Amino acid sequence: MTRRLAGLALLPATAVTAGAATHALTFEAALLLGAFGLLILVPFVPGLIEVWRPRDRYPLPVDMDYVKDPRHLGRSARALLAAALRGDQGPPGRRTVTLSKVEAVEVHDRLDVSAGASLSAIQLARGPMVVGERATCDRDLYARAGARIGEGAVLRTLACDGRAALGRGVRIARWLDVEGDAHVGPQSHLGASAAAAGFLELADGVTFERLWGAPVRTAGFRGARELPPAPAPFALPDVLEIRDLEDLASLHRGDLVVGPGETFDRPLVVRGDLRVETDAVVDRTVKVYGDLTLAPGALLLGDAFVEGAVVVGEGAAVRGCVFSQRSVELRRGARVGAPGLVKSVVGKRSVTLAGDVAVHGYVLTDGRGCVTCRGSD
């Protein structure tokens, strides 16, 4: 009886303690939930403030007429050197100028570099420049007239205001920029960029990354091909009438072959491979999820956007641009663009040019670009 009374006496104290603990746990849980909710809301606060009191309501200005200058590197180098020399008209000799750092510049009325010589200063020739075989220069070269580079020479950069001729096996470490026409000899390497205001002609075995020319052409070039004019703009249906992709383009869920002599006059979306046979014409732009092959003599008047490989066959032509996520191969006699019609050939992994090829505009690759004239007949 005494023990039962003692237990009853202790019961209220235990209940009070348990109630306090439960209350403390409930408060902590509420605090944690509140903190969690606050953390979720924090990222949305700037947006909510902008909605409530907008300060950035106007779009960023975009220059829709901007076009990237393919000769930016050469023109920038000329401008920097001209500013540093302040239009130097003094006697030939060595100057010290400040460009990105203090540099030595050797000014010549005419520059003749002997075979096997090594140059370590910037060279400026007011007249012609001749670099002998196997000579090296680890600084910039600038010729205000023509330039002739001997076999096996190794140069950092070359800017030339006249015509330029590079011999066999010349290596350009960074870039080449020519105001006139440029001939590049066999087995030469053109560094990260080569551009010419006139034509840029490449012999067999030349390797490259980015090219620009009017046109870029390869050995054996036989002249421009006359292309049909661009077709009239494709008549788009009213927005309210567009139900699916097939209202805008001809959709093919597998492979497609455009037969010999056929003409296809709708934009094309091909989920598989597309092959355009000999003398067939595709008037519009194509989007291909597989590979694109233009057989000899085929004609594409629009652009080509291709996930796989692109092969432009012998004598085939593209009036528009060519973009491939893999590789582009232009076989003998292929043409892209036309005089006055600047276009691009872009192969992410590689671009291969055969003989008698012409591209009016850009040729670019993140991988390997090469010219293979031999065996391409």
Side-chain angles (χ1 to χ4, degrees), residues 219-220 222 313-316 330-334 354-357 373-374 376-377:
R222 298 175 185 175
E314 183 175 337
L330 304 184
R331 294 183 177 172
R332 176 167 289 277
D356 185 26
V357 160
C373 295
R374 296 177 184 174
S376 60
D377 292 318

Side-chain angles (χ1 to χ4, degrees), residues 5 64 66 90 103 113 126 144 148 168 223 242-243 258 273 287 364:
L5 290 173
M64 301 302 293
Y66 173 78
E103 299 267 14
V113 181
R126 295 165 175 164
R144 289 180 178 165
R148 189 168 73 249
R168 173 183 291 271
I242 299 175
R243 300 179 304 277
V258 181
D273 298 337
K287 166 64 179 176
L364 304 96

Side-chain angles (χ1 to χ4, degrees), residues 2-79:
T2 305
R3 290 179 181 175
R4 184 179 297 175
L5 290 173
L8 289 172
L10 290 173
L11 182 59
T14 304
V16 170
T17 304
T22 302
H23 179 74
L25 288 173
T26 304
F27 178 75
E28 289 180 1
L31 190 62
L32 288 173
L33 286 173
F36 180 69
L38 186 62
L39 288 174
I40 291 177
L41 289 175
V42 164
F44 297 97
V45 170
L48 293 172
I49 293 174
E50 184 64 27
V51 170
W52 178 50
R53 184 174 295 178
R55 292 176 297 174
D56 191 18
R57 68 187 73 185
Y58 302 107
L60 294 174
V62 177
D63 183 1
M64 301 302 293
D65 295 324
Y66 173 78
V67 177
K68 184 176 180 180
D69 183 2
R71 298 182 54 212
H72 171 74
L73 293 172
R75 286 173 171 156
S76 295
R78 288 176 174 86

Side-chain angles (χ1 to χ4, degrees), residues 10-363:
L10 290 173
L11 182 59
T14 304
V16 170
T17 304
T22 302
H23 179 74
L25 288 173
T26 304
F27 178 75
E28 289 180 1
L31 190 62
L32 288 173
L33 286 173
F36 180 69
L38 186 62
L39 288 174
I40 291 177
L41 289 175
V42 164
F44 297 97
V45 170
L48 293 172
I49 293 174
E50 184 64 27
V51 170
W52 178 50
R53 184 174 295 178
R55 292 176 297 174
D56 191 18
R57 68 187 73 185
Y58 302 107
L60 294 174
V62 177
D63 183 1
M64 301 302 293
D65 295 324
Y66 173 78
V67 177
K68 184 176 180 180
D69 183 2
R71 298 182 54 212
H72 171 74
L73 293 172
R75 286 173 171 156
S76 295
R78 288 176 174 86
L80 284 172
L81 193 56
L85 292 173
R86 297 180 178 85
D88 178 67
Q89 298 296 323
R94 192 179 182 91
R95 317 274 197 275
T96 300
V97 300
T98 301
L99 300 174
S100 58
K101 60 180 181 179
V102 177
E103 299 267 14
V105 179
E106 294 183 358
V107 180
H108 310 265
D109 287 332
R110 175 189 173 91
L111 176 60
D112 288 282
V113 181
S114 58
S118 180
L119 306 175
S120 59
I122 296 173
Q123 305 292 317
L124 169 61
R126 295 165 175 164
M129 174 186 292
V130 178
V131 177
E133 297 180 358
R134 299 177 302 284
T136 62
C137 183
D138 60 7
R139 306 307 298 162
D140 301 335
L141 297 180
Y142 176 22
R144 289 180 178 165
R148 189 168 73 249
I149 311 301
E151 180 177 339
V154 179
L155 312 178
R156 182 174 185 260
T157 69
L158 173 61
C160 174
D161 289 350
R163 297 167 62 93
L166 280 62
R168 173 183 291 271
V170 171
R171 297 189 64 82
I172 306 290
R174 295 185 59 192
W175 53 263
L176 167 71
D177 184 82
V178 181
E179 191 66 42
D181 300 327
H183 295 265
V184 181
Q187 311 304 319
S188 294
H189 174 67
L190 295 179
S193 174
F199 63 74
L200 176 61
E201 185 168 277
L202 313 177
D204 184 54
V206 172
T207 56
F208 58 85
E209 293 179 22
R210 291 182 294 170
L211 305 174
W212 163 266
V216 174
R217 69 191 200 191
T218 57
F221 177 71
R222 298 175 185 175
R225 174 178 173 179
E226 194 71 30
L227 297 180
F234 182 68
L236 293 173
D238 187 89
V239 174
L240 297 177
E241 298 176 0
I242 299 175
R243 300 179 304 277
D244 52 40
L245 183 59
E246 293 190 15
D247 291 327
L248 300 174
S250 181
L251 174 62
H252 295 263
R253 301 187 184 281
D255 298 341
L256 175 66
V257 176
V258 181
E262 292 184 8
T263 297
F264 209 101
D265 58 0
R266 278 177 60 85
L268 269 172
V269 177
V270 181
R271 297 290 185 183
D273 298 337
L274 171 62
R275 179 177 177 84
V276 183
E277 294 289 4
T278 300
D279 297 328
V281 178
V282 176
D283 272 357
R284 306 291 175 178
T285 291
V286 299
K287 166 64 179 176
V288 183
Y289 287 81
D291 298 337
L292 169 63
T293 303
L294 300 184
L299 179 61
L300 173 62
L301 296 184
D303 301 318
F305 301 93
V306 184
E307 296 294 324
V310 175
V311 175
V312 181
E314 183 175 337
V318 181
R319 197 177 192 279
C321 299
V322 179
F323 296 91
S324 168
Q325 293 289 355
R326 285 176 53 194
S327 62
V328 177
E329 180 184 355
L330 304 184
R331 294 183 177 172
R332 176 167 289 277
R335 299 287 185 268
V336 177
L341 191 65
V342 175
K343 298 299 176 181
S344 300
V345 171
V346 181
K348 186 173 179 61
R349 298 183 186 177
S350 67
V351 174
T352 304
L353 308 178
D356 185 26
V357 160
V359 178
H360 294 264
Y362 298 86
V363 180

